[in-house]
Amino acid sequence: MRVLDKLILCLIVFLAAGAPGAWGQPARSILVLEQSDVRGPFYAEIFSAMRAAVNEDEAAPVSLYVENLDLTRFSGAAYEESLQNHLRIKYQDRPITVVVTVGTAALEFAQRWRSSLWPGVPLVFGLVDAQTAAQFKGVPNTTGQTVKLSLDDMVTVARSVAPDLKSVVIVGDTLARQPLFRQFVPQIPQINPSVEVVDLTGLPMLDLLNRVANLPSSSVILYTSIYSDGAGTYYTPADALAAIAQSANRPIVVTAETFLGRGGVGGFVMRPSCIGAGIAKTALRILHGEKAADIPVEGEGVKAIFDWRQLQRWKVPASSLPAGSEIRFRPLSAWEQYKWQIIGIILIIVTQGLLILGMLAERQRRLRAEVNAREHLSEIAHMNRRTTVGELCASITHELNQPLGSILSNTEAAEMMMDSRTPDLGEVREILADIKRDDRRASEIISRLRNLLKGAVIETEEFDLNEAVDKVFGLLSHQANGANTALSTSFANQKLKVSGDRVQLEQVILNLVMNALELMEDKRSGGRREIVGRTARLDHRFAEISIADNGPGIDANKLGAVFKPFFTTKKHGMGMGLSISRKIVEAHGGEIWAESRPQGGVVFRIRLPLMQ
């Protein structure tokens, strides 16, 4: 029994799967009757919007059929009977769930043949005016969507387009032949008497083109639609409008969204996408179980839309248009078109600006730090010079006493000669020359001492390294004689021009010579003590100063540390002189180092950039 039950269940499932609706659900279908040719842009957009709305439905799939009745070009009992036979045979095996009509002619056709073709099938209409819809209010199982178009709205738009409006020119098929515009006929007498209504409907195309090319400047064309002109030539309304716009000398107010871009300036236009979506939603409500009689007839799908290009052509300001108007084809501003790119560029520029400001602030901070460091270095160097002068004080005093004492002796001798009855003027002149020489010597000693004791203000100047070395060695000559040490110099053949603080660089040379003199104190008395200062041009960019001694030297392991602060090889040294010297040289873009001499002693070398 269990096996038989399973077989029966499988058979039921198989039969259900092959039924018209999956799992027993009946198939659903919508038949769309278009009164015109769906190949025209307006009706094509209606059907496209309907298909999109149906495809979005999450329920079971819906079959969507469309029939182009072409009632705008063909009519009569025989034609309608042929359509009836065609539809009966075509859909005899395809049950229709909902019938949808688009346009007044399609609605009237469906209503006439509904009982024989689709008895009991709900009917949804669209693209009909309110008056037509009212005629079907009592018809059972019927609902739909209406559109509201009025001549008064078109005249209102015409006034916006032409403030000096005196006449409106109606262009299109004869109003009585256009179901959507039939209600315009009783509205014409209600227009303000100051505005003349010129009826050019139903004219042959050639005549119409001639008329619209010569309209007065205070007139505006109101275009409804042309399917066939007075000569019996058939058109699509959009193509007919394009032909009229090429000849018209006045702006054209239109009634359909698809007329925008074909020469129409705009107006209260029917939007086919909204009309199609609204019809489809009503049909889907019926498919979902609602009764057509319970769904109220609603009106939508009309909006004030204008073509920016035509507004510019006819010099119509956007401010004169009805409130809430939408303007299309307006060129986007740079901000509208590249908003995010512009924001990105602004952010990049702002970020770069902030980075540049930060870098400038950092540069200023570093410059201030460098200035402070140089000032601090200058102050330390100045203190070092004062300490050095203190150490040289006795020698400098002795060196000054010699010329001063000589001056005093010569002066006394001159006084004695002048007191005699017959003074020897030649000898007096010699004494005065000696006094003058000793005075200059004392003045030179004082000048050297004054330069050495200059304050901490940094003074950049251009000077010759040969002169700087010679001046320092001359200043320390007496100190070297007292230490039984010979000072000698050897200079480059040409001047070595550098730029910097002369006093600070002379302080470096002074520190190196003083350091050598102190190192020589440890040399045994048997040997000759000697300090040699040399200058040389290395290449076109650098010059070198070397201070060499023949003292006991410095341990090779300590040579790399002699320029560190507080490192010293002397008994009473503080370890600051060489450290200060290195900072001064580096501040001038140079470098300083020490080497051991093969024959004994140490040589300190300074390399400085030359003036270019």
Side-chain angles (χ1 to χ4, degrees):
M1 287 296 292
R2 292 181 180 177
V3 176
L4 182 59
D5 291 340
K6 291 181 179 179
L7 290 173
I8 294 173
L9 180 61
C10 290
L11 180 60
I12 293 173
V13 171
F14 176 79
L15 293 175
W23 300 97
Q25 183 176 353
R28 306 186 305 166
S29 62
I30 299 175
L31 174 61
V32 181
L33 303 178
E34 296 267 13
Q35 73 174 10
S36 186
D37 189 346
V38 77
R39 289 172 295 181
F42 186 82
Y43 289 95
E45 282 196 29
I46 290 178
F47 183 72
S48 178
M50 291 178 60
R51 181 179 293 279
V54 169
N55 291 339
E56 291 177 359
D57 187 52
E58 297 180 354
V62 177
S63 297
L64 190 62
Y65 307 106
V66 61
E67 294 291 338
N68 303 319
L69 305 182
D70 207 3
L71 297 174
T72 55
R73 294 194 295 176
F74 301 97
S75 61
Y79 178 66
E80 286 195 8
E81 187 173 351
S82 67
L83 288 178
Q84 181 214 22
N85 293 330
H86 166 75
L87 294 173
R88 178 183 296 109
I89 295 171
K90 185 175 182 178
Y91 295 100
Q92 62 182 350
D93 296 328
R94 305 286 179 97
I96 301 301
T97 311
V98 178
V99 174
V100 170
T101 64
V102 179
T104 302
L107 172 59
E108 293 172 346
F109 170 84
Q111 190 61 31
R112 282 194 292 271
W113 299 99
R114 182 179 183 183
S115 59
S116 60
L117 292 176
W118 311 286
V121 176
L123 187 147
V124 177
F125 58 81
L127 196 62
V128 299
D129 61 281
Q131 292 180 351
T132 301
Q135 298 174 10
F136 292 87
K137 186 174 183 181
V139 178
N141 218 8
T142 302
T143 187
Q145 303 280 324
T146 63
V147 293
K148 180 186 177 183
L149 292 173
S150 71
L151 183 60
D152 185 58
D153 286 341
M154 297 188 76
V155 173
T156 299
V157 173
R159 289 185 184 279
S160 300
V161 173
D164 59 342
L165 182 69
K166 293 181 180 179
S167 64
V168 292
V169 181
I170 302 177
V171 172
D173 287 344
T174 304
L175 294 178
R177 291 179 52 195
Q178 301 183 74
L180 276 177
F181 304 104
R182 284 183 299 205
Q183 74 274 15
F184 281 17
V185 176
Q187 294 175 9
I188 292 176
Q190 301 174 10
I191 296 177
N192 192 312
S194 63
V195 177
E196 179 187 4
V197 178
V198 179
D199 188 0
L200 298 185
T201 60
L203 292 179
M205 182 61 73
L206 290 178
D207 294 343
L208 178 61
L209 296 181
N210 290 330
R211 295 289 298 274
V212 298
N214 300 283
L215 295 174
S217 60
S218 58
S219 61
V220 172
I221 299 171
L222 308 183
Y223 179 75
T224 55
S225 61
I226 293 178
Y227 288 94
S228 63
D229 66 357
T233 305
Y234 286 90
Y235 302 88
T236 62
D239 292 339
L241 171 63
I244 294 169
Q246 289 182 354
S247 299
N249 66 339
R250 298 302 300 151
I252 305 173
V253 176
V254 294
T255 56
E257 185 179 18
T258 50
F259 293 160
L260 298 172
R262 299 297 186 102
V265 71
F268 288 95
V269 297
M270 298 178 289
R271 303 174 65 190
S273 57
C274 292
I275 293 171
I279 295 171
K281 289 177 181 178
T282 301
L284 289 172
R285 290 175 64 179
I286 295 173
L287 291 179
H288 293 161
E290 293 187 53
K291 293 181 180 180
D294 296 335
I295 301 175
V297 175
E298 297 176 345
E300 59 178 344
V302 176
K303 184 179 180 181
I305 305 177
F306 294 87
D307 187 332
W308 170 261
R309 298 165 298 185
Q310 293 296 321
L311 294 176
Q312 296 300 300
R313 175 187 176 187
W314 302 108
K315 297 180 175 55
V316 179
S319 58
S320 67
L321 301 178
S325 296
E326 178 184 340
I327 299 177
R328 295 190 181 170
F329 310 113
R330 174 162 46 187
L332 295 176
S333 65
W335 172 255
E336 292 171 330
Q337 192 170 3
Y338 303 107
K339 175 181 178 181
W340 295 111
Q341 292 89 333
I342 293 173
I343 291 175
I345 291 172
I346 292 174
L347 289 176
I348 291 173
I349 293 174
V350 170
T351 302
Q352 287 182 338
L354 293 175
L355 289 174
I356 292 171
L357 290 176
M359 292 171 66
L360 290 175
E362 178 65 16
R363 183 173 181 272
Q364 290 297 323
R365 188 190 66 79
R366 289 186 178 182
L367 288 176
R368 288 195 297 269
E370 290 177 5
V371 170
N372 292 336
R374 288 179 63 87
E375 291 177 351
H376 184 60
L377 175 62
S378 182
E379 292 172 358
I380 295 175
H382 179 61
M383 292 177 62
N384 181 256
R385 288 195 295 275
R386 295 182 63 179
T387 303
T388 304
V389 170
E391 295 175 359
L392 295 174
C393 187
S395 297
I396 292 172
T397 302
H398 178 73
E399 192 168 353
L400 280 173
N401 281 335
Q402 284 185 343
L404 291 176
S406 178
I407 290 171
L408 179 60
S409 298
N410 285 322
T411 303
E412 290 175 349
E415 287 179 346
M416 291 176 62
M417 288 184 179
M418 294 301 294
D419 288 339
S420 67
R421 292 181 178 180
T422 56
D424 188 348
L425 295 180
E427 190 172 353
V428 171
R429 288 189 182 95
E430 291 180 2
I431 292 172
L432 290 175
D434 290 341
I435 292 173
K436 186 176 181 181
R437 183 192 67 241
D438 292 334
D439 179 75
R440 287 177 177 174
R441 182 182 174 191
S443 177
E444 183 180 352
I445 294 171
I446 292 172
S447 177
R448 290 178 182 176
L449 182 62
R450 183 181 60 204
N451 288 337
L452 188 62
L453 289 174
K454 270 189 177 180
V457 178
I458 299 173
E459 296 182 0
T460 300
E461 60 181 306
E462 198 178 307
F463 62 95
D464 183 12
L465 286 179
N466 295 330
E467 294 179 358
V469 174
D470 185 56
K471 182 181 289 187
V472 173
F473 271 67
L475 180 66
L476 295 176
S477 60
H478 186 77
Q479 179 78 4
N481 290 333
N484 193 26
T485 302
L487 296 181
S488 61
T489 55
S490 175
F491 299 122
N493 293 331
Q494 68 270 44
K495 290 184 178 182
L496 303 177
K497 291 288 187 179
V498 296
S499 177
D501 191 315
R502 179 174 187 150
V503 174
Q504 287 191 0
L505 289 175
E506 288 178 355
Q507 173 66 24
V508 173
I509 301 169
L510 181 69
N511 284 348
L512 296 179
V513 176
M514 288 292 295
N515 188 69
L517 286 173
E518 292 178 6
L519 286 175
M520 298 287 281
E521 292 179 359
D522 296 334
K523 183 177 176 66
R524 294 180 181 179
S525 58
R528 173 180 170 78
R529 298 178 180 181
E530 183 179 15
I531 299 175
V532 181
R534 292 186 176 87
T535 62
R537 186 185 184 99
L538 299 180
D539 51 33
H540 67 283
R541 294 182 301 165
F542 294 98
E544 183 181 86
I545 302 172
S546 64
I547 308 296
D549 65 68
N550 64 343
I554 300 175
D555 190 340
N557 296 328
K558 297 180 180 179
L559 278 177
V562 294
F563 295 102
K564 293 182 179 180
F566 308 111
F567 180 87
T568 181
T569 58
K570 299 177 290 187
K571 294 180 180 179
H572 305 291
M574 296 181 62
M576 292 300 297
L578 292 180
S579 174
I580 294 170
S581 298
R582 184 186 66 176
K583 291 185 180 297
I584 292 174
V585 171
E586 290 177 350
H588 284 76
E591 57 179 328
I592 182 172
W593 69 96
E595 299 174 353
S596 294
R597 301 179 68 193
Q599 65 271 33
V602 179
V603 58
F604 285 87
R605 300 186 186 277
I606 303 170
R607 186 170 67 174
L608 292 170
L610 289 167
M611 287 287 296
Q612 299 299 319

